[in-house]
Amino acid sequence: MSRSAHPAGPRHADVLPEGHYSAPPTDLNALDPKVWSQTVTRDEHGVLTVGGIDVKRLAEEYGTPAYVLDEDDFRSRARAWRTAFGENADVFYAGKAFLSRAVVRWLNEEGLNLDVCSGGELATALSAGMPAERIAFHGNNKSAAEIRRAVEAGVGRIVLDSFQEIVRVAHIARELGTRQRVQIRVTVGVEAHTHEFIATAHEDQKFGIPLAGGQAAEAVRRALQLDSLEVIGIHSHIGSQIFDMSGFEVAAHRVVGLLKDIRDEHGVELPEIDLGGGLGIAYTSDDDPREPHEIAKALSEIVTRECEAAKLRTPRISVEPGRAIVGPTAFTLYEVGTVKPLEGLRTYVSVDGGMSDNIRTALYDAEYSVALVSRSSDAAPMLTRVVGKHCESGDIVVKDAFLPGDLAPGDLIAVPATGAYCRSMASNYNHVLRPPVVAVKDGQARVIVRRETEEDLLRLDVG
Ligand code: LLP
């Protein structure tokens, strides 16, 4: 980080030379189906509609900013994963991407299981009727109270993340007179090609027990000796927003290697392996995500091949997609407040939300798309940066975006693919109120998470 100040000049300005940007899209009114949910289209007036409802009506009724979630799109993506993996595998939706009680009910109806990683997510899942045996409980530092609650509820599996946790869970299960099904999370030493903060299987990070140096094997050895634990398998999650399957290939190879060592040492073949989540989605037209059926085929081929080579029975596979299910199902609807052209640079478009409803751009340098949605426009494209209302210059929603040159205050714009890790990572920075999540389906809209109010804020501040 720089510790000196000097007059700003072109050398340091965060503006790339002219010609750097890819050419503006030929049609700014077009909506690329890769980044928008399936029911999104423009009506005859050019207004974007989703689930049969136009965004002007949504803005009037629910205000902006708002996350607008397409229920049919969510359900069909969930179903696609379920169908792709079939009867011999399990799909656990990763609740950290976005969790609400409505979502839990949809998952339940679509036959998916749920991965939770905190007491709060567990409470949400249980309160919406997710059967405990279909819940996996994750986390690198679960509290004793969280573990107790999970064991008491009867969760289907707890994913153990450290040596201390093996003993902790065993102790609590014994106290409660039960035998807890567990998996052991290992780090396989794969460098996933993604942002450092969301890569999780290289060695120098906090998750899991390294395969390296025989540590994971030792963890399995200890867990197998504890009567109150039933070790059902090994877990590996290599990171997020990954497009390249080769990381999973290496992970599966190494996990199967561990299963083989376990068989050779203890005479047991663990029945399951979980390969985590992390499959990428399209945030812009440049991204090319894979379909669930391709992923399912690739993963099951890799595991079968590795197991055949190791002369092991093929274990049951589970996966934990979060972003790939919920990411593309929602967009964030904003109203434009100010439009500020900066001579020779670009135009800054300020919206009524920002880094409190989408921290991903600031945190990971994430790229997003954006479109004018309250009307169509034939105006020439202008280079913009879509920014929020927070007191911070890093409060950027879309770093480089082309929007029509006649964009004006009062227009509605939408940022697609904000279903994952936006509401779930939202904050109250600057005491800005978190937006609602409005679900749309068949011409009906309903709030599934309401907008935060000043009363909500003040209720927590006990004075
Ligand atoms: N399973 C485990 C054990 C995980 O840790 C995660 C994500 C998932 C599954 C789901 O990954 P997905 O399929 O959604 O990529 N906040 C970051 C992502 C952090 C992901 C943490 N773990 C972001 O906004 O990109």
Side-chain angles (χ1 to χ4, degrees):
M1 186 177 281
S2 163
R3 291 172 203 280
S4 63
H6 56 77
R11 221 158 38 93
H12 293 285
D14 187 17
V15 170
L16 295 165
E18 215 176 316
H20 164 81
Y21 303 102
S22 45
T26 38
D27 180 5
L28 280 181
N29 300 310
L31 300 166
D32 184 347
K34 267 207 288 193
V35 299
W36 295 91
S37 72
Q38 289 157 29
T39 71
V40 163
T41 178
R42 280 190 198 269
D43 69 13
E44 65 278 18
H45 310 293
V47 182
L48 184 142
T49 73
V50 55
I53 310 185
D54 82 63
V55 289
K56 283 165 105 171
R57 223 180 93 199
L58 289 171
E60 259 161 43
E61 213 154 309
Y62 303 102
T64 54
Y67 303 103
V68 182
L69 200 164
D70 184 339
E71 180 179 339
D72 280 340
D73 190 74
F74 183 98
R75 284 180 182 271
S76 77
R77 286 177 203 277
R79 213 173 298 140
W81 277 85
R82 182 79 206 89
T83 316
F85 278 86
E87 292 309 312
N88 299 321
D90 296 300
V91 181
F92 286 76
Y93 168 77
K96 64 208 82 184
F98 172 66
L99 197 63
S100 78
R101 290 195 270 197
V103 160
V104 172
R105 282 191 285 268
W106 300 341
L107 292 167
N108 207 350
E109 286 164 15
E110 300 297 340
L112 273 75
N113 307 312
L114 180 61
D115 140 14
V116 300
C117 67
S118 70
E121 287 184 1
L122 178 62
T124 306
L126 293 174
S127 81
M130 178 58 85
E133 64 273 15
R134 280 170 46 200
I135 298 177
F137 190 28
H138 269 281
N140 67 302
N141 188 17
K142 308 167 190 77
S143 71
E146 286 174 322
I147 295 170
R148 182 171 289 274
R149 175 114 198 259
V151 176
E152 267 171 354
V155 299
R157 60 180 65 165
I158 295 182
V159 183
L160 302 174
D161 198 84
S162 64
F163 281 95
Q164 282 94 3
E165 210 171 69
I166 295 172
V167 182
R168 230 171 256 165
V169 172
H171 179 71
I172 291 171
R174 177 155 1 101
E175 262 184 11
L176 294 171
T178 185
R179 191 152 191 250
Q180 178 62 50
R181 288 159 65 87
V182 296
Q183 288 189 335
I184 294 176
R185 177 159 174 182
V186 303
T187 37
V188 292
V190 169
E191 298 269 354
H193 291 165
T194 186
H195 191 284
E196 185 199 350
F197 292 178
I198 53 177
T200 55
H202 54 297
E203 261 114 32
D204 191 2
Q205 49 81 39
K206 69 174 185 169
F207 291 108
I209 302 175
L211 279 178
Q215 294 181 73
E218 175 61 20
V220 173
R221 199 170 295 134
R222 291 193 197 175
L224 284 172
Q225 283 165 3
L226 296 163
D227 291 341
S228 57
L229 301 182
E230 179 187 349
V231 184
I232 59 166
I234 301 297
H235 185 287
S236 154
H237 169 77
I238 58 171
S240 276
Q241 188 56 6
I242 298 165
F243 293 107
D244 177 5
M245 296 301 286
S246 61
F248 290 98
E249 189 143 351
V250 178
H253 173 75
R254 295 189 179 164
V255 168
V256 171
L258 177 61
L259 291 182
K260 182 172 175 293
D261 293 347
I262 294 167
R263 194 251 338 256
D264 294 347
E265 184 182 341
H266 307 282
V268 282
E269 292 198 24
L270 297 183
E272 296 193 21
I273 67 172
D274 189 313
L275 292 171
L279 284 313
I281 62 163
Y283 284 101
T284 73
S285 299
D286 293 337
D287 295 325
D288 269 313
R290 293 196 169 201
E291 294 294 326
H293 65 88
E294 293 176 80
I295 295 161
K297 186 163 176 285
L299 290 183
S300 92
E301 278 173 9
I302 296 167
V303 173
T304 308
R305 193 183 59 227
E306 293 295 330
C307 287
E308 271 167 14
K311 300 201 167 34
L312 282 167
R313 270 195 303 276
T314 306
R316 190 173 176 86
I317 301 177
S318 46
V319 285
E320 299 170 337
R323 184 191 325 259
I325 292 177
V326 74
T329 66
F331 59 79
T332 314
L333 185 61
Y334 299 105
E335 185 178 302
V336 173
T338 68
V339 177
K340 190 187 284 184
L342 295 186
E343 198 58 41
L345 297 172
R346 66 170 80 234
T347 296
Y348 276 76
V349 174
S350 294
V351 294
D352 46 359
M355 65 195 301
S356 55
D357 59 69
N358 186 350
I359 189 66
R360 299 194 68 261
T361 308
L363 194 55
Y364 313 120
D365 231 350
E367 289 187 9
Y368 282 92
S369 318
V370 62
L372 168 61
V373 292
S374 48
R375 61 188 172 90
S376 53
S377 166
D378 295 328
M382 65 173 170
L383 178 62
T384 68
R385 179 161 289 171
V386 179
V387 296
K389 59 181 283 156
H390 293 276
C391 289
E392 183 149 336
S393 53
D395 172 25
I396 296 169
V397 181
V398 189
K399 206 165 170 203
D400 303 311
F402 285 100
L403 280 164
D406 62 353
L407 192 79
D411 278 332
L412 297 175
I413 62 175
V415 174
T418 58
Y421 304 110
C422 286
R423 179 59 180 79
S424 67
M425 293 176 81
S427 76
N428 284 124
Y429 184 39
N430 296 147
H431 286 201
V432 169
L433 305 167
R434 286 178 294 178
V437 182
V438 180
V440 294
K441 178 179 165 56
D442 300 333
Q444 305 281 331
R446 69 186 171 110
V447 173
I448 60 169
V449 180
R450 72 162 166 78
R451 185 183 299 285
E452 209 160 23
T453 62
E454 284 176 7
E455 290 74 61
D456 291 329
L457 271 188
L458 294 173
R459 202 172 304 138
L460 295 179
D461 181 341
V462 293

Short mmCIF file of all heavy atoms in Angstrom, two decimals, residues 327-383:
data_model
loop_
_atom_site.label_atom_id
_atom_site.label_comp_id
_atom_site.label_asym_id
_atom_site.label_seq_id
_atom_site.Cartn_x
_atom_site.Cartn_y
_atom_site.Cartn_z
N GLY A 327 -26.38 -17.93 -8.54
CA GLY A 327 -25.75 -16.74 -9.10
C GLY A 327 -26.54 -16.10 -10.23
O GLY A 327 -26.92 -14.92 -10.16
N PRO A 328 -26.81 -16.88 -11.29
CA PRO A 328 -27.47 -16.26 -12.45
C PRO A 328 -28.96 -16.00 -12.25
O PRO A 328 -29.59 -15.43 -13.13
CB PRO A 328 -27.28 -17.32 -13.55
CG PRO A 328 -26.31 -18.32 -13.01
CD PRO A 328 -26.40 -18.26 -11.53
N THR A 329 -29.53 -16.44 -11.12
CA THR A 329 -30.99 -16.33 -10.97
C THR A 329 -31.46 -14.93 -10.58
O THR A 329 -32.65 -14.67 -10.60
CB THR A 329 -31.52 -17.31 -9.89
OG1 THR A 329 -31.01 -16.89 -8.63
CG2 THR A 329 -31.10 -18.73 -10.17
N ALA A 330 -30.53 -14.06 -10.16
CA ALA A 330 -30.96 -12.76 -9.66
C ALA A 330 -30.18 -11.62 -10.29
O ALA A 330 -29.04 -11.81 -10.72
CB ALA A 330 -30.80 -12.70 -8.14
N PHE A 331 -30.82 -10.47 -10.36
CA PHE A 331 -30.10 -9.24 -10.71
C PHE A 331 -30.41 -8.20 -9.66
O PHE A 331 -31.38 -8.31 -8.91
CB PHE A 331 -30.45 -8.75 -12.13
CG PHE A 331 -31.91 -8.46 -12.37
CD1 PHE A 331 -32.48 -7.26 -11.93
CD2 PHE A 331 -32.70 -9.37 -13.05
CE1 PHE A 331 -33.83 -6.98 -12.17
CE2 PHE A 331 -34.05 -9.11 -13.29
CZ PHE A 331 -34.62 -7.91 -12.85
N THR A 332 -29.55 -7.19 -9.58
CA THR A 332 -29.81 -6.09 -8.65
C THR A 332 -30.35 -4.92 -9.45
O THR A 332 -29.75 -4.51 -10.46
CB THR A 332 -28.53 -5.68 -7.89
OG1 THR A 332 -27.88 -6.86 -7.44
CG2 THR A 332 -28.86 -4.79 -6.71
N LEU A 333 -31.48 -4.42 -8.99
CA LEU A 333 -32.14 -3.30 -9.67
C LEU A 333 -31.80 -2.02 -8.92
O LEU A 333 -32.03 -1.93 -7.71
CB LEU A 333 -33.65 -3.57 -9.65
CG LEU A 333 -34.54 -2.60 -10.40
CD1 LEU A 333 -34.21 -2.59 -11.90
CD2 LEU A 333 -36.02 -2.97 -10.19
N TYR A 334 -31.24 -1.07 -9.63
CA TYR A 334 -30.85 0.21 -9.02
C TYR A 334 -31.50 1.36 -9.77
O TYR A 334 -31.78 1.25 -10.96
CB TYR A 334 -29.33 0.44 -9.15
CG TYR A 334 -28.41 -0.55 -8.49
CD1 TYR A 334 -27.72 -1.49 -9.27
CD2 TYR A 334 -28.15 -0.51 -7.12
CE1 TYR A 334 -26.81 -2.37 -8.69
CE2 TYR A 334 -27.23 -1.39 -6.55
CZ TYR A 334 -26.57 -2.32 -7.32
OH TYR A 334 -25.67 -3.18 -6.74
N GLU A 335 -31.64 2.49 -9.07
CA GLU A 335 -32.04 3.71 -9.77
C GLU A 335 -30.80 4.60 -9.89
O GLU A 335 -30.02 4.72 -8.96
CB GLU A 335 -33.13 4.44 -9.00
CG GLU A 335 -33.64 5.66 -9.76
CD GLU A 335 -34.76 6.40 -9.04
OE1 GLU A 335 -35.80 5.75 -8.75
OE2 GLU A 335 -34.58 7.59 -8.75
N VAL A 336 -30.67 5.19 -11.06
CA VAL A 336 -29.55 6.10 -11.29
C VAL A 336 -29.83 7.41 -10.56
O VAL A 336 -30.93 7.97 -10.67
CB VAL A 336 -29.37 6.36 -12.80
CG1 VAL A 336 -28.31 7.44 -13.06
CG2 VAL A 336 -29.01 5.06 -13.53
N GLY A 337 -28.85 7.87 -9.78
CA GLY A 337 -29.03 9.12 -9.03
C GLY A 337 -28.31 10.28 -9.70
O GLY A 337 -28.87 11.35 -9.91
N THR A 338 -27.04 10.06 -10.06
CA THR A 338 -26.29 11.12 -10.73
C THR A 338 -25.49 10.53 -11.90
O THR A 338 -25.12 9.35 -11.87
CB THR A 338 -25.28 11.82 -9.78
OG1 THR A 338 -24.25 10.91 -9.45
CG2 THR A 338 -25.95 12.32 -8.50
N VAL A 339 -25.26 11.37 -12.88
CA VAL A 339 -24.46 10.98 -14.05
C VAL A 339 -23.39 12.06 -14.19
O VAL A 339 -23.72 13.23 -14.43
CB VAL A 339 -25.34 10.90 -15.31
CG1 VAL A 339 -24.50 10.57 -16.53
CG2 VAL A 339 -26.44 9.85 -15.14
N LYS A 340 -22.13 11.67 -13.98
CA LYS A 340 -21.07 12.69 -13.89
C LYS A 340 -19.99 12.42 -14.94
O LYS A 340 -19.15 11.53 -14.74
CB LYS A 340 -20.47 12.64 -12.48
CG LYS A 340 -19.53 13.78 -12.16
CD LYS A 340 -18.85 13.55 -10.81
CE LYS A 340 -19.78 13.83 -9.64
NZ LYS A 340 -19.07 13.69 -8.33
N PRO A 341 -20.01 13.15 -16.06
CA PRO A 341 -18.96 12.93 -17.06
C PRO A 341 -17.65 13.53 -16.57
O PRO A 341 -17.64 14.67 -16.09
CB PRO A 341 -19.47 13.68 -18.30
CG PRO A 341 -20.75 14.34 -17.90
CD PRO A 341 -20.94 14.22 -16.42
N LEU A 342 -16.57 12.79 -16.64
CA LEU A 342 -15.26 13.34 -16.31
C LEU A 342 -14.49 13.45 -17.62
O LEU A 342 -14.13 12.43 -18.23
CB LEU A 342 -14.52 12.45 -15.31
CG LEU A 342 -15.16 12.34 -13.92
CD1 LEU A 342 -14.25 11.55 -12.98
CD2 LEU A 342 -15.45 13.71 -13.31
N GLU A 343 -14.30 14.67 -18.03
CA GLU A 343 -13.68 15.00 -19.32
C GLU A 343 -12.46 14.13 -19.61
O GLU A 343 -11.54 14.04 -18.80
CB GLU A 343 -13.28 16.48 -19.28
CG GLU A 343 -13.03 17.11 -20.64
CD GLU A 343 -14.24 17.03 -21.57
OE1 GLU A 343 -15.38 17.24 -21.12
OE2 GLU A 343 -14.01 16.75 -22.77
N GLY A 344 -12.46 13.45 -20.74
CA GLY A 344 -11.30 12.67 -21.17
C GLY A 344 -11.14 11.36 -20.43
O GLY A 344 -10.22 10.59 -20.71
N LEU A 345 -11.98 11.08 -19.45
CA LEU A 345 -11.84 9.84 -18.68
C LEU A 345 -13.02 8.92 -18.95
O LEU A 345 -12.96 8.05 -19.78
CB LEU A 345 -11.73 10.16 -17.19
CG LEU A 345 -10.50 10.98 -16.79
CD1 LEU A 345 -10.57 11.40 -15.34
CD2 LEU A 345 -9.22 10.17 -17.04
N ARG A 346 -14.09 9.16 -18.22
CA ARG A 346 -15.28 8.32 -18.36
C ARG A 346 -16.42 9.01 -17.63
O ARG A 346 -16.22 10.03 -16.98
CB ARG A 346 -15.04 6.94 -17.78
CG ARG A 346 -14.83 7.03 -16.27
CD ARG A 346 -14.83 5.69 -15.59
NE ARG A 346 -13.56 5.02 -15.71
CZ ARG A 346 -13.43 3.79 -16.19
NH1 ARG A 346 -14.48 3.13 -16.59
NH2 ARG A 346 -12.25 3.22 -16.26
N THR A 347 -17.59 8.40 -17.68
CA THR A 347 -18.74 8.96 -16.96
C THR A 347 -19.03 8.10 -15.73
O THR A 347 -19.13 6.88 -15.84
CB THR A 347 -19.96 9.02 -17.90
OG1 THR A 347 -19.65 9.92 -18.96
CG2 THR A 347 -21.19 9.51 -17.17
N TYR A 348 -19.13 8.75 -14.59
CA TYR A 348 -19.46 8.04 -13.35
C TYR A 348 -20.97 8.05 -13.17
O TYR A 348 -21.59 9.12 -13.15
CB TYR A 348 -18.76 8.69 -12.15
CG TYR A 348 -17.35 8.15 -11.99
CD1 TYR A 348 -16.33 8.59 -12.84
CD2 TYR A 348 -17.06 7.18 -11.05
CE1 TYR A 348 -15.05 8.06 -12.74
CE2 TYR A 348 -15.78 6.65 -10.94
CZ TYR A 348 -14.78 7.09 -11.79
OH TYR A 348 -13.52 6.56 -11.70
N VAL A 349 -21.52 6.86 -13.02
CA VAL A 349 -22.97 6.71 -12.83
C VAL A 349 -23.18 6.26 -11.39
O VAL A 349 -22.73 5.17 -11.01
CB VAL A 349 -23.53 5.66 -13.81
CG1 VAL A 349 -24.99 5.38 -13.54
CG2 VAL A 349 -23.30 6.10 -15.26
N SER A 350 -23.83 7.10 -10.58
CA SER A 350 -24.03 6.71 -9.17
C SER A 350 -25.42 6.12 -8.99
O SER A 350 -26.41 6.69 -9.43
CB SER A 350 -23.93 7.94 -8.25
OG SER A 350 -22.63 8.44 -8.27
N VAL A 351 -25.44 4.97 -8.29
CA VAL A 351 -26.73 4.33 -8.01
C VAL A 351 -27.02 4.37 -6.52
O VAL A 351 -26.16 4.76 -5.72
CB VAL A 351 -26.73 2.87 -8.52
CG1 VAL A 351 -26.63 2.83 -10.03
CG2 VAL A 351 -25.61 2.05 -7.87
N ASP A 352 -28.24 3.95 -6.18
CA ASP A 352 -28.70 4.09 -4.79
C ASP A 352 -28.30 2.94 -3.87
O ASP A 352 -28.88 2.76 -2.81
CB ASP A 352 -30.23 4.30 -4.77
CG ASP A 352 -30.98 3.32 -5.68
OD1 ASP A 352 -30.33 2.49 -6.34
OD2 ASP A 352 -32.22 3.41 -5.74
N GLY A 353 -27.31 2.14 -4.28
CA GLY A 353 -26.77 1.08 -3.42
C GLY A 353 -25.27 1.16 -3.47
O GLY A 353 -24.72 2.25 -3.39
N GLY A 354 -24.60 0.01 -3.67
CA GLY A 354 -23.15 0.04 -3.81
C GLY A 354 -22.49 -1.10 -3.08
O GLY A 354 -23.03 -2.21 -3.01
N MET A 355 -21.30 -0.82 -2.51
CA MET A 355 -20.51 -1.88 -1.92
C MET A 355 -21.20 -2.56 -0.74
O MET A 355 -20.80 -3.66 -0.34
CB MET A 355 -19.12 -1.38 -1.52
CG MET A 355 -19.12 -0.35 -0.43
SD MET A 355 -17.53 0.51 -0.30
CE MET A 355 -16.38 -0.82 0.02
N SER A 356 -22.25 -1.96 -0.19
CA SER A 356 -22.98 -2.64 0.90
C SER A 356 -23.88 -3.74 0.35
O SER A 356 -24.19 -4.69 1.06
CB SER A 356 -23.80 -1.64 1.72
OG SER A 356 -24.67 -0.91 0.87
N ASP A 357 -24.32 -3.65 -0.90
CA ASP A 357 -25.13 -4.74 -1.45
C ASP A 357 -24.33 -5.61 -2.41
O ASP A 357 -24.77 -6.70 -2.78
CB ASP A 357 -26.40 -4.22 -2.14
CG ASP A 357 -26.12 -3.26 -3.27
OD1 ASP A 357 -25.60 -3.71 -4.30
OD2 ASP A 357 -26.43 -2.05 -3.14
N ASN A 358 -23.16 -5.15 -2.83
CA ASN A 358 -22.28 -5.99 -3.65
C ASN A 358 -20.83 -5.60 -3.37
O ASN A 358 -20.29 -4.66 -3.94
CB ASN A 358 -22.59 -5.81 -5.15
CG ASN A 358 -21.78 -6.77 -6.01
OD1 ASN A 358 -20.87 -7.44 -5.50
ND2 ASN A 358 -22.09 -6.84 -7.28
N ILE A 359 -20.20 -6.38 -2.50
CA ILE A 359 -18.82 -6.10 -2.10
C ILE A 359 -17.82 -6.77 -3.03
O ILE A 359 -16.62 -6.56 -2.95
CB ILE A 359 -18.61 -6.56 -0.63
CG1 ILE A 359 -17.26 -6.11 -0.04
CG2 ILE A 359 -18.72 -8.07 -0.51
CD1 ILE A 359 -17.12 -4.64 0.13
N ARG A 360 -18.32 -7.59 -3.95
CA ARG A 360 -17.44 -8.46 -4.71
C ARG A 360 -16.48 -7.69 -5.63
O ARG A 360 -15.35 -8.11 -5.84
CB ARG A 360 -18.25 -9.50 -5.51
CG ARG A 360 -19.08 -10.42 -4.61
CD ARG A 360 -19.61 -11.64 -5.34
NE ARG A 360 -18.54 -12.54 -5.72
CZ ARG A 360 -17.99 -12.61 -6.91
NH1 ARG A 360 -18.45 -11.85 -7.90
NH2 ARG A 360 -17.01 -13.43 -7.16
N THR A 361 -16.94 -6.58 -6.16
CA THR A 361 -16.07 -5.82 -7.06
C THR A 361 -14.89 -5.25 -6.26
O THR A 361 -13.73 -5.36 -6.67
CB THR A 361 -16.87 -4.70 -7.75
OG1 THR A 361 -18.02 -5.29 -8.33
CG2 THR A 361 -16.05 -3.99 -8.81
N ALA A 362 -15.20 -4.68 -5.08
CA ALA A 362 -14.14 -4.10 -4.26
C ALA A 362 -13.23 -5.19 -3.70
O ALA A 362 -12.02 -5.04 -3.64
CB ALA A 362 -14.75 -3.30 -3.12
N LEU A 363 -13.82 -6.31 -3.32
CA LEU A 363 -13.05 -7.35 -2.61
C LEU A 363 -12.24 -8.24 -3.54
O LEU A 363 -11.13 -8.65 -3.23
CB LEU A 363 -14.04 -8.19 -1.79
CG LEU A 363 -13.49 -9.12 -0.72
CD1 LEU A 363 -12.61 -8.38 0.27
CD2 LEU A 363 -14.65 -9.78 0.03
N TYR A 364 -12.83 -8.60 -4.67
CA TYR A 364 -12.16 -9.57 -5.56
C TYR A 364 -11.86 -9.01 -6.94
O TYR A 364 -11.51 -9.78 -7.84
CB TYR A 364 -13.04 -10.81 -5.78
CG TYR A 364 -13.67 -11.42 -4.56
CD1 TYR A 364 -15.05 -11.51 -4.45
CD2 TYR A 364 -12.89 -11.91 -3.53
CE1 TYR A 364 -15.64 -12.10 -3.34
CE2 TYR A 364 -13.48 -12.49 -2.41
CZ TYR A 364 -14.85 -12.58 -2.33
OH TYR A 364 -15.44 -13.16 -1.24
N ASP A 365 -12.13 -7.71 -7.13
CA ASP A 365 -11.94 -7.17 -8.47
C ASP A 365 -12.89 -7.87 -9.46
O ASP A 365 -12.57 -8.09 -10.62
CB ASP A 365 -10.49 -7.45 -8.93
CG ASP A 365 -9.84 -6.18 -9.44
OD1 ASP A 365 -10.57 -5.18 -9.60
OD2 ASP A 365 -8.62 -6.19 -9.69
N ALA A 366 -14.04 -8.26 -8.96
CA ALA A 366 -14.99 -9.02 -9.79
C ALA A 366 -15.51 -8.16 -10.93
O ALA A 366 -15.63 -6.94 -10.80
CB ALA A 366 -16.16 -9.50 -8.94
N GLU A 367 -15.82 -8.81 -12.04
CA GLU A 367 -16.38 -8.09 -13.18
C GLU A 367 -17.86 -8.39 -13.28
O GLU A 367 -18.31 -9.51 -13.04
CB GLU A 367 -15.69 -8.56 -14.46
CG GLU A 367 -14.26 -8.08 -14.54
CD GLU A 367 -13.62 -8.38 -15.87
OE1 GLU A 367 -14.33 -8.81 -16.79
OE2 GLU A 367 -12.40 -8.19 -15.95
N TYR A 368 -18.60 -7.38 -13.64
CA TYR A 368 -20.05 -7.53 -13.83
C TYR A 368 -20.46 -6.87 -15.13
O TYR A 368 -19.73 -6.06 -15.70
CB TYR A 368 -20.82 -6.87 -12.67
CG TYR A 368 -20.83 -7.71 -11.43
CD1 TYR A 368 -19.85 -7.55 -10.45
CD2 TYR A 368 -21.79 -8.69 -11.24
CE1 TYR A 368 -19.84 -8.35 -9.30
CE2 TYR A 368 -21.81 -9.49 -10.09
CZ TYR A 368 -20.83 -9.31 -9.14
OH TYR A 368 -20.83 -10.10 -8.02
N SER A 369 -21.69 -7.20 -15.55
CA SER A 369 -22.31 -6.52 -16.69
C SER A 369 -23.37 -5.58 -16.12
O SER A 369 -23.73 -5.68 -14.95
CB SER A 369 -23.00 -7.52 -17.60
OG SER A 369 -22.22 -8.67 -17.77
N VAL A 370 -23.88 -4.71 -16.96
CA VAL A 370 -24.96 -3.81 -16.52
C VAL A 370 -25.77 -3.40 -17.73
O VAL A 370 -25.23 -3.35 -18.85
CB VAL A 370 -24.38 -2.58 -15.77
CG1 VAL A 370 -23.48 -1.75 -16.66
CG2 VAL A 370 -25.49 -1.70 -15.19
N ALA A 371 -27.06 -3.14 -17.52
CA ALA A 371 -27.89 -2.67 -18.64
C ALA A 371 -28.92 -1.65 -18.16
O ALA A 371 -29.35 -1.70 -17.00
CB ALA A 371 -28.61 -3.86 -19.28
N LEU A 372 -29.25 -0.76 -19.07
CA LEU A 372 -30.38 0.15 -18.83
C LEU A 372 -31.64 -0.70 -19.01
O LEU A 372 -31.80 -1.36 -20.05
CB LEU A 372 -30.34 1.28 -19.87
CG LEU A 372 -31.58 2.17 -19.98
CD1 LEU A 372 -31.87 2.91 -18.67
CD2 LEU A 372 -31.39 3.19 -21.12
N VAL A 373 -32.53 -0.70 -18.00
CA VAL A 373 -33.65 -1.66 -18.08
C VAL A 373 -35.04 -1.01 -18.05
O VAL A 373 -36.03 -1.68 -18.29
CB VAL A 373 -33.55 -2.73 -16.96
CG1 VAL A 373 -32.36 -3.64 -17.20
CG2 VAL A 373 -33.48 -2.10 -15.57
N SER A 374 -35.12 0.29 -17.74
CA SER A 374 -36.45 0.91 -17.69
C SER A 374 -36.90 1.39 -19.06
O SER A 374 -38.03 1.87 -19.23
CB SER A 374 -36.46 2.05 -16.68
OG SER A 374 -35.36 2.89 -16.87
N ARG A 375 -36.03 1.30 -20.03
CA ARG A 375 -36.36 1.66 -21.41
C ARG A 375 -35.24 1.13 -22.30
O ARG A 375 -34.17 0.79 -21.80
CB ARG A 375 -36.49 3.18 -21.58
CG ARG A 375 -35.21 3.94 -21.26
CD ARG A 375 -35.41 5.45 -21.24
NE ARG A 375 -34.22 6.12 -20.76
CZ ARG A 375 -33.20 6.54 -21.51
NH1 ARG A 375 -33.23 6.38 -22.82
NH2 ARG A 375 -32.16 7.13 -20.97
N SER A 376 -35.50 1.11 -23.60
CA SER A 376 -34.39 0.84 -24.49
C SER A 376 -33.86 2.19 -24.97
O SER A 376 -34.48 3.23 -24.72
CB SER A 376 -34.83 -0.04 -25.66
OG SER A 376 -35.94 0.54 -26.29
N SER A 377 -32.73 2.18 -25.64
CA SER A 377 -32.16 3.45 -26.10
C SER A 377 -31.33 3.21 -27.35
O SER A 377 -30.65 2.19 -27.47
CB SER A 377 -31.25 4.04 -25.00
OG SER A 377 -30.45 5.07 -25.55
N ASP A 378 -31.40 4.20 -28.26
CA ASP A 378 -30.58 4.11 -29.46
C ASP A 378 -29.36 5.01 -29.37
O ASP A 378 -28.61 5.16 -30.34
CB ASP A 378 -31.40 4.49 -30.70
CG ASP A 378 -32.51 3.49 -30.94
OD1 ASP A 378 -32.30 2.31 -30.60
OD2 ASP A 378 -33.60 3.90 -31.41
N ALA A 379 -29.17 5.64 -28.21
CA ALA A 379 -28.04 6.56 -28.06
C ALA A 379 -26.72 5.80 -28.18
O ALA A 379 -26.65 4.61 -27.91
CB ALA A 379 -28.12 7.26 -26.71
N ALA A 380 -25.69 6.53 -28.57
CA ALA A 380 -24.37 5.91 -28.71
C ALA A 380 -23.86 5.46 -27.34
O ALA A 380 -24.20 6.07 -26.32
CB ALA A 380 -23.40 6.93 -29.31
N PRO A 381 -23.04 4.41 -27.33
CA PRO A 381 -22.52 3.91 -26.05
C PRO A 381 -21.56 4.90 -25.39
O PRO A 381 -20.82 5.60 -26.10
CB PRO A 381 -21.75 2.64 -26.44
CG PRO A 381 -21.83 2.50 -27.90
CD PRO A 381 -22.58 3.64 -28.48
N MET A 382 -21.61 4.98 -24.06
CA MET A 382 -20.58 5.77 -23.36
C MET A 382 -19.91 4.86 -22.35
O MET A 382 -20.53 3.97 -21.77
CB MET A 382 -21.19 7.00 -22.69
CG MET A 382 -22.16 6.72 -21.58
SD MET A 382 -22.62 8.27 -20.77
CE MET A 382 -23.96 7.70 -19.71
N LEU A 383 -18.63 5.12 -22.16
CA LEU A 383 -17.87 4.33 -21.19
C LEU A 383 -18.18 4.86 -19.80
O LEU A 383 -18.02 6.06 -19.53
CB LEU A 383 -16.38 4.45 -21.48
CG LEU A 383 -15.48 3.69 -20.51
CD1 LEU A 383 -15.74 2.20 -20.54
CD2 LEU A 383 -14.02 3.99 -20.81
#
